[in-house]
Amino acid sequence: MEELVEKAARLVANARKILVFTGAGLSTESGIPDFRSPGGLWSRYNPQDFYFQRIISSDKSREKYWVMSTEFYDAMKDATPNRAHIALKEMEEMGKILAIVTQNIDSLHQKAGSSPEKIIEIHGTAFSVSCLSCGKKYEREEIQSRLLAGEKVPSCDACKGILKPDTISFGQSMPESKMESSFRYSRECDLCIVLGSSLVVYPAASIPMQAVENGARLIIVNREPTPMDSVADVVIHGALGKTLTALMEQLRRISSGPQ
Ligand code: NAD
């Protein structure tokens, strides 16, 4: 493990434009469950129930959706960044980070102090809600209060339209300009670091793949194997907080010592 961390730190030290690609695993150490680990959200809910077409099809489906979403948001709203988020902020201070493309909707990169202009939330954010008819935007906290007060399926107070958190559900189209920027960064980067993603959710997972196809080196840190392990330069199957703390220590040592 130590050797792998050292190899990863050397790749980071030699890189100038790093694209970081993060998934739900980055935030489990902040107390937010991921989807696919044991005890994750999909062990308690059926993902089939949360396809976009289902959500918009009936009040019954929306009620189910808001129950899951309320639990998820509750775990997220007061969560604080962990050592791995902080390590990425430090990497940015070292002038290494081109962009952070995150599948997470929890705002923890922002809370850790990474620059908002470097963060692309390709699956949106859990912290706001929009009306699918008139586009009126709400703070999530306002809708959460309505849910906690007993409303089961909140609707738009301006037009009675369907409300939905500003997150991308299965079957919902991806935000075009965010995807374009992400793919541009994947062509520009010289190193891609994948952190805490099972790399099975598409089209998001094609972003690191495109980076590799364009000649970037690849580091993957994830507790379990991923479909892209075979094309990575370094794969570390370990816990993120511990691994990134060790990587930053090595990186500081390499950066301060004789090369
Ligand atoms: P995923 O649940 O499919 O995969 C997470 C991966 O992280 C797993 O392979 C797991 O082994 C690994 N992991 C978990 N904790 C870890 C740790 N401490 N150290 C190292 N590895 C760890 O998540 P995904 O690939 O991001 O894709 C699922 C979708 O889930 C995304 O679209 C995202 O929008 C959504 N999601 C977001 C959050 C969040 O915002 N925090 C939480 C759950 C799901």
Side-chain angles (χ1 to χ4, degrees):
M1 175 74 99
E2 212 171 296
E3 263 170 39
L4 289 175
V5 171
E6 161 124 29
K7 190 171 172 201
R10 289 206 176 277
L11 285 175
V12 174
N14 290 330
R16 289 180 304 114
K17 291 183 285 182
I18 300 177
L19 173 64
V20 182
F21 180 84
T22 66
L26 190 70
S27 298
T28 55
E29 291 174 40
S30 292
I32 303 171
D34 63 10
F35 278 167
R36 293 176 181 78
S37 289
L41 280 187
W42 293 160
S43 60
R44 281 173 293 123
Y45 294 99
N46 180 357
Q48 304 286 341
D49 285 336
F50 305 116
Y51 275 73
F52 185 63
Q53 289 310 323
R54 277 256 175 110
I55 296 168
I56 59 172
S57 68
S58 72
D59 267 4
K60 198 99 213 101
S61 308
R62 278 194 290 288
E63 189 176 328
K64 238 183 212 177
Y65 173 76
W66 281 111
V67 169
M68 181 277 291
S69 169
T70 299
E71 178 188 333
F72 201 20
Y73 175 72
D74 251 350
M76 228 174 259
K77 65 177 184 184
D78 298 321
T80 53
N82 62 55
R83 295 187 288 171
H85 295 100
I86 306 289
L88 294 177
K89 184 218 167 206
E90 284 173 26
M91 241 183 243
E92 183 185 334
E93 287 167 353
M94 296 167 107
K96 299 274 178 196
I97 304 285
L98 179 65
I100 298 175
V101 172
T102 186
Q103 300 171 89
N104 295 344
I105 55 174
D106 55 25
S107 292
L108 287 182
H109 287 299
Q110 289 89 332
K111 287 186 188 169
S114 291
S115 305
E117 63 274 16
K118 289 200 184 268
I119 303 167
I120 305 180
E121 295 173 305
I122 47 170
H123 289 166
T125 174
F127 287 82
S128 60
V129 172
S130 293
C131 172
L132 297 180
S133 301
C134 74
K136 182 172 175 181
K137 255 196 190 306
Y138 299 79
E139 289 291 326
R140 174 61 194 247
E141 213 35 55
E142 182 188 336
I143 303 302
Q144 195 73 357
S145 309
R146 284 167 56 177
L147 288 159
L148 294 176
E151 240 180 280
K152 290 199 167 8
V153 186
S155 58
C156 179
D157 55 18
C159 76
K160 299 278 167 265
I162 294 174
L163 292 184
K164 186 179 170 297
D166 290 330
T167 53
I168 306 294
S169 298
F170 295 117
Q172 197 171 5
S173 49
M174 296 289 286
E176 219 171 287
S177 75
K178 288 183 184 180
M179 286 307 279
E180 272 171 22
S181 313
S182 303
F183 281 117
R184 182 160 40 81
Y185 290 131
S186 73
R187 289 190 297 272
E188 265 176 48
C189 68
D190 53 8
L191 172 66
C192 179
I193 307 180
V194 174
L195 303 173
S197 175
S198 58
L199 292 175
V200 297
V201 177
Y202 277 83
S206 49
I207 294 165
M209 189 46 109
Q210 173 155 318
V212 172
E213 283 166 4
N214 278 275
R217 314 297 292 271
L218 177 66
I219 297 171
I220 296 177
V221 184
N222 201 58
R223 223 159 35 194
E224 288 158 283
T226 79
M228 281 185 67
D229 286 4
S230 59
V231 297
D233 295 275
V234 180
V235 179
I236 300 177
H237 292 148
L240 274 153
K242 191 171 165 223
T243 305
L244 283 201
T245 303
L247 191 152
M248 289 310 292
E249 275 165 19
Q250 292 281 0
L251 182 59
R252 280 186 225 104
R253 192 183 55 74
I254 294 167
S255 309
S256 65
Q259 296 300 298

